[in-house]
Amino acid sequence: GYWQPDPRTGASPFLSSASVTPWTMDTADQFRPELPPTIHEQRFADDLAELKAIGGVTSSVRTFDQECTARFTTDNPVAQYHRLARIVAQAVTSDLEHDARAFAVFSLALADAFISSFEGKFTYHFWRPWTAIQNAAAIGLPELQDPAWLSLIPTPPHPEYPANHAVQSAAIVTVLKHFYGTDIPPVTLTCQGAGCRADICPAAVASGHLDDFKALFGLARIYGGIHYRNTIELSWMQGEAIAQNVIRKFYVHAGNDN
């Protein structure tokens, strides 16, 4: 199950994150998730079957809404996450000091989420779904073999586990919930990248429940065919732990803002 790059994608602009000194973590591997399932476990077989059915370039089970969700997260993630932070801060009445602290903690959590996720990726080097499906017979899953299968979303050029978008979205949403609450006045997040396909899909998602955005960024990578469900679920836990570490260790206020 060793990672191979998708021939459709070029170099990632974020690969150096794996070697950056952490901002708030003791070490880059402090929140590294447990080993991914082996390629012979039932959990892996179940996840691979789901990805083959729902995540390919063509799919008979993926809905139009799921396709658009997958495309929505092809935007530049850093820009999209900060866009979310800004509209949340605008929606919830607060003062400048509160917002400044929120954005500082948000940025620290996001930076360490990048570092932690890439550290894990280049520790485990776990293969992406497209590689596994094209070689499924070799691991005892001939019913899932399809040598021509490719994901709906071109696979990012780095290993599968953990999932950047799930780690990062869990980290930033945990911070935003800490400062602004779990439920807020509805906000509308936009996608401004070409991959969002605004010609066929809605270019905006609205919700007043911040966990909906965490779910959006994670599930989108399943619908797009580039991450296994188990990876998404464990990566959400990783991102939340990173954010809680930042909040616990670095959010200090002398007033009433607890």
Side-chain angles (χ1 to χ4, degrees):
Y2 199 83
W3 170 70
Q4 298 178 37
D6 186 332
R8 297 177 294 171
T9 49
S12 169
F14 303 114
L15 292 183
S16 61
S17 297
S19 58
V20 173
T21 301
W23 292 87
T24 68
M25 299 183 293
D26 296 333
T27 59
D29 65 355
Q30 182 176 354
F31 297 103
R32 182 196 296 166
E34 61 190 45
L35 285 165
T38 73
I39 58 176
H40 302 295
E41 289 183 37
Q42 187 61 46
R43 178 63 197 257
F44 180 75
D46 292 343
D47 282 358
L48 192 62
E50 177 186 27
L51 265 292
K52 182 183 180 185
I54 203 170
V57 173
T58 60
S59 169
S60 61
V61 302
R62 185 179 57 233
T63 68
F64 176 71
D65 286 345
Q66 289 170 333
E67 176 180 346
C68 289
T69 296
R71 295 188 183 282
F72 188 83
T73 62
T74 60
D75 201 350
N76 180 295
V78 177
Q80 204 165 29
Y81 298 146
H82 280 85
R83 203 176 302 138
L84 177 61
R86 289 194 299 272
I87 60 176
V88 169
Q90 291 167 353
V92 180
T93 302
S94 187
D95 57 41
L96 179 60
E97 180 182 357
H98 180 92
D99 289 342
R101 288 179 178 273
F103 275 70
V105 174
F106 175 99
S107 296
L108 288 170
L110 178 57
D112 272 355
F114 267 99
I115 294 168
S116 181
S117 183
F118 274 105
E119 189 280 332
K121 285 179 179 294
F122 287 102
T123 295
Y124 295 126
H125 293 276
F126 200 56
W127 61 356
R128 292 281 187 168
W130 77 270
T131 318
I133 292 169
Q134 290 191 11
N135 296 276
I139 59 171
L141 298 170
E143 70 279 10
L144 299 180
Q145 173 94 12
D146 183 347
W149 192 93
L150 289 172
S151 57
L152 171 68
I153 302 301
T155 304
H158 39 72
E160 191 272 340
Y161 182 83
N164 277 335
H165 273 67
V167 176
Q168 295 155 8
S169 64
I172 65 165
V173 166
T174 298
V175 171
L176 293 175
K177 287 164 59 179
H178 176 81
F179 283 94
Y180 299 107
T182 298
D183 295 297
I184 63 171
V187 296
T188 301
L189 179 65
T190 59
C191 177
Q192 299 177 6
C196 305
R197 292 297 305 273
D199 56 324
I200 60 172
C201 289
V205 172
S207 180
H209 187 62
L210 289 180
D211 279 328
D212 287 345
F213 293 103
K214 180 186 79 172
L216 166 74
F217 283 108
L219 295 177
R221 312 310 262 182
I222 298 173
Y223 303 152
I226 61 177
H227 277 295
Y228 310 106
R229 185 171 294 273
N230 180 68
T231 297
I232 296 299
E233 292 172 354
L234 292 179
S235 298
W236 277 332
M237 295 170 60
Q238 180 182 356
E240 182 175 350
I242 292 166
Q244 293 293 359
N245 179 66
V246 179
I247 293 166
R248 183 177 63 254
K249 293 174 64 175
F250 292 90
Y251 178 60
V252 180
H253 194 286
N256 297 322
D257 197 2
N258 297 315

